[in-house]
Amino acid sequence: MKTLSVVAGIVGLLSSAPAFASSVSMTFQNVGTATMVPAGVNACGVFAPTPANILAGATSPTSSTNCGTTSASHVTYKIGTKQCVFHISTIYTPANPLTGASAYWTPNASTTASGSATCKVVSQDISQIFINGNFAAVFSMK
């Protein structure tokens, strides 16, 4: 009987994994007076479309990656000596049948600035986070 309870618990843990994958999406706004130049992309999977130069006052197309229960990307842009690193992630925590805790997604968007850059998270879209874990953010650089 004890073995049956352990097996049932393991099956419950394994079956609590989602049958879907989450994506993170990033859009970049250049609120400066010079062109933003991409200086690196670190993503958990294919990040498409690949970030490109963004003219002053322009906004990039939305780029996304999808890596399952943990999706993350870090994109670096430069304007001269100014640099912004834009971070986004969504992480799935499965339900815990032992404690009764529900499953949930944790979205995060942040920036790291250097060289007197102004880097901001302009907006975050969590409208899909409770459905499928998808998370999007708009970032700006000056």
Side-chain angles (χ1 to χ4, degrees), residues 23 33 39 49 62 72 78 83 93 121 123 137:
S23 66
T33 58
T62 301
K78 289 185 175 186
Q83 178 174 293
T93 301
V121 178
S123 65

Side-chain angles (χ1 to χ4, degrees), residues 44-131:
C44 61
V46 176
F47 193 68
T50 303
N53 290 355
I54 306 170
L55 300 175
T59 299
S60 74
T62 301
S63 297
S64 300
T65 190
N66 187 326
C67 298
T69 58
T70 299
S71 290
S73 180
H74 310 280
V75 175
T76 303
Y77 267 101
K78 289 185 175 186
I79 298 177
T81 59
K82 298 176 182 181
Q83 178 174 293
C84 290
V85 182
F86 303 103
H87 315 278
I88 191 167
S89 64
T90 184
I91 300 170
Y92 180 76
T93 301
N96 185 332
L98 301 176
T99 65
S102 299
Y104 60 93
W105 292 91
T106 304
N108 184 48
S110 63
T111 65
T112 304
S114 62
S116 73
T118 302
C119 315
K120 292 184 179 178
V121 178
V122 176
S123 65
Q124 299 178 53
D125 179 359
I126 61 167
S127 63
Q128 297 294 305
I129 203 75
F130 298 108
I131 299 167

